[in-house]
Amino acid sequence: MIYERLLRPLLFALDPETAHHFALACLRFAGPLCPRPDNKIPPISVFGLSFKHRIGLAAGLDKNGVALPAWEALGFSFVEIGTVTAEAQPGNPRPRIFRYPKQNALINRLGFNNDGAEIVAERLAKLREGGGWPGIPIGINIGKSRATPIEGAVKDYLFSFRKLRSHADYVALNVSSPNTPGLRELQRSERLDELLRAINAERAETPLVVKIAPDLEPAELDELLAVCDSNNIPGIVATNSTLDHSAITDDEEGGLSGAPLQKKSTVIIRHIAQKTRIPIIGCGGIFDIGSAREKIEAGAKLLQVYTGFIYRGPNLIRELAKL
């Protein structure tokens, strides 16, 4: 409980983004010095990969892949870095992360701030060559550059995919962030089909997953699932943050994550599981055993945490790893 009683109050005394960068810098330094945790739980196999347990780190915390050894040392069974875009970009103006402790929630409008596919690929190559590569699956989440029009999205994603695929155990296509204008248009069947066909033509054995929004209507979700099925997509991440801010008063613009997203994301997971056999990575509002089990019972094979980890720290991972 050291994190919740001591470290979290110190971090929460800082601006959210300052705290984020400070924590990431500490993890980047300490990660290579930490031993890899032992795990006696039988591994789980999902879309051809082996996972020590169900719990992974969602995209967004380590956008540029700077602290990979640390995440394994903290007990995660897999990590998804990113979102990475073809072009380096600063993201939206600060402030752009907002805490809501009473609701166990965050709102962010970061806007895919990252170093760009080429720099991230170089960083990952150096880590691998230096012998520091972690012993857990690494997913790389890619998205559309803000400056790229929606008509050029396929070419943009292909650039990132080609640069990063050799370092990825799986690649996640982010077509659902609410903070890049027009991005969610890529969830529409025709545009998504075009994107998946293009990536499929080059992905060889690299598993490809699609990260979707929690704000899709049932008919929209059914169309999306039909496209994923027809393109033999190995997995779906459900879900990204939501634009439904009804649980928050005096809120900021951006995607809402954390406890208010729990039920909404579980509804999406349950719908997917009833419509298709595509494996699901459940994400959204996981703060304890109960909320994690809810997603597993709804149909998720793996789970990812983000906001829950911000609020509860490594103890959450130790709890959930037993599931």
Side-chain angles (χ1 to χ4, degrees), residues 150-168:
I150 198 72
E151 294 77 17
V154 170
K155 184 177 179 180
D156 194 84
Y157 277 87
L158 279 172
F159 179 90
S160 297
F161 181 79
R162 290 164 181 161
K163 289 290 180 181
L164 295 163
R165 62 183 168 186
S166 63
H167 305 294

Side-chain angles (χ1 to χ4, degrees), residues 46-69:
V46 182
F47 44 78
L49 299 176
S50 180
F51 300 86
K52 294 178 181 179
H53 53 78
R54 296 181 190 271
I55 313 305
L57 179 69
L61 268 176
D62 193 354
K63 290 178 177 291
N64 294 305
V66 300
L68 293 186

Side-chain angles (χ1 to χ4, degrees), residues 20-102:
H20 178 105
H21 290 302
F22 174 74
L24 205 57
C26 292
L27 290 170
R28 184 176 188 176
F29 173 77
L33 306 177
C34 297
R36 294 180 177 179
D38 293 327
N39 190 69
K40 298 180 181 179
I41 302 171
I44 299 166
S45 180
V46 182
F47 44 78
L49 299 176
S50 180
F51 300 86
K52 294 178 181 179
H53 53 78
R54 296 181 190 271
I55 313 305
L57 179 69
L61 268 176
D62 193 354
K63 290 178 177 291
N64 294 305
V66 300
L68 293 186
W71 303 121
E72 181 182 16
L74 288 172
F76 288 100
S77 73
F78 67 104
V79 175
E80 191 171 306
I81 70 169
T83 297
V84 182
T85 54
E87 301 177 14
Q89 51 189 40
N92 293 321
R94 296 176 69 168
R96 51 193 181 178
I97 307 177
F98 307 90
R99 302 187 191 102
Y100 296 86
K102 290 182 179 180

Side-chain angles (χ1 to χ4, degrees), residues 236-253:
I236 293 175
V237 180
T239 64
N240 213 317
S241 56
T242 180
L243 287 171
D244 177 5
H245 293 190
S246 57
I248 304 291
T249 57
D250 300 323
D251 62 299
E252 297 280 346
E253 292 183 0

